[in-house]
Amino acid sequence: MKIKVFTNNPWQENTIVLYDETGEAVIIDCGCFSKEEGQRLKSFLVENQLIPVALLNTHLHIDHIFGNNFMLDEFGLSARAHEADSFWVEDAERYAAMLGVMASGGYVVAVPNGGNLEYLKDGEVVKFGHSELKVIHVPGHSPGGLCFYSDKDKLLVAGDVLFQGSIGRADLPGGDMNQLLNGIREKLFVLPDDVRVIPGHGGFTTIGEEKRMNPFFQ
């Protein structure tokens, strides 16, 4: 499996493209805010002759869904996320305006009427090309927080659940610190130590490194 990460929007969010030798690709957390960011993603897909077959969201905080309408308009892909996070879509535009990030030239944040969301459940498997991603539900940063795991490639897309040397904040609506810590211990730290982790912001890490060094678990 090949990986391409774009850093987008004022929150420096990681928009992730995963693809394999078949040319099929999934886009995870399309955070493209400006038209330039959207075009950069589209150009990469076109130049590498990739066929996007799924748009996945680790959670529905606004910095991770800015580009969802772009993906719907350009590629006909509806976002897939956990149902427990659907309330974020309903309030996304208002929340964005409160934070002053609905700048001219940005995309409309919300998926239209919330009606194009498709829901994923814990344990479900998303397939593309010759690749598979297992859905792991880890609430606490957001009620519908998801991670996507490839056992074959030893790769975890962690969203804002786990970062290099840190974890996601739990003070936003629906957050729960104990739930987040327990979920990481019980669902992520049971994975092999050499599993690479792509967080929602910042650089890559591994499960082993976070078990040994992350201050929240010492």
Side-chain angles (χ1 to χ4, degrees):
M1 186 186 297
K2 297 182 179 180
I3 306 164
K4 177 67 175 179
V5 178
F6 296 93
T7 302
N8 288 320
N9 71 52
W11 281 276
Q12 300 290 285
E13 176 267 351
N14 289 334
T15 294
I16 301 157
V17 182
L18 302 180
Y19 59 103
D20 64 18
E21 68 277 6
T22 68
E24 291 194 352
V26 296
I27 289 79
I28 303 177
D29 288 351
C30 187
C32 303
F33 178 65
S34 68
K35 292 181 179 179
E36 290 76 17
E37 289 174 347
Q39 185 57 51
R40 183 177 59 169
L41 172 60
K42 181 180 179 181
S43 295
F44 174 80
L45 296 171
V46 171
E47 290 168 4
N48 288 276
Q49 299 181 313
L50 300 180
I51 304 169
V53 297
L55 169 61
L56 309 178
N57 276 116
T58 60
H59 61 300
L60 296 175
H61 288 165
I62 57 170
D63 52 326
H64 292 256
I65 67 171
F66 279 127
N68 281 6
N69 272 6
F70 169 77
M71 291 301 299
L72 182 63
D73 293 342
E74 292 288 336
F75 302 103
L77 295 177
S78 299
R80 300 184 194 177
H82 195 282
E83 187 172 9
D85 259 20
S86 60
F87 73 97
W88 282 111
V89 172
E90 298 166 6
D91 290 336
E93 290 188 53
R94 180 177 62 85
Y95 186 40
M98 288 171 57
L99 296 177
V101 296
M102 289 298 287
S104 176
Y107 294 109
V108 175
V109 176
V111 176
N113 301 318
N116 290 298
L117 279 174
E118 300 174 12
Y119 297 125
L120 294 168
K121 296 181 179 180
D122 186 60
E124 191 172 342
V125 175
V126 176
K127 298 182 179 182
F128 62 102
H130 296 149
S131 303
E132 295 184 352
L133 296 171
K134 181 182 178 181
V135 178
I136 304 175
H137 182 213
V138 186
H141 172 66
S142 189
L146 298 178
C147 299
F148 299 100
Y149 175 57
S150 170
D151 180 59
K152 175 183 175 182
D153 295 279
K154 291 191 175 181
L155 178 70
L156 180 76
V157 178
D160 287 2
V161 171
L162 181 66
F163 299 116
Q164 185 178 41
S166 189
I167 62 173
R169 59 189 293 183
D171 59 340
L172 296 173
D176 186 313
M177 179 60 75
N178 289 331
Q179 196 176 43
L180 178 61
L181 292 171
N182 289 336
I184 293 171
R185 289 191 187 98
E186 295 169 6
K187 293 189 173 184
L188 301 189
F189 282 179
V190 297
L191 300 175
D193 283 358
D194 58 348
V195 167
R196 291 175 296 166
V197 179
I198 310 176
H201 307 263
F204 287 28
T205 185
T206 66
I207 290 294
E209 180 180 343
E210 296 315 309
K211 287 166 64 176
R212 292 189 302 270
M213 305 297 292
N214 194 302
F216 286 90
F217 301 96
Q218 302 309 305

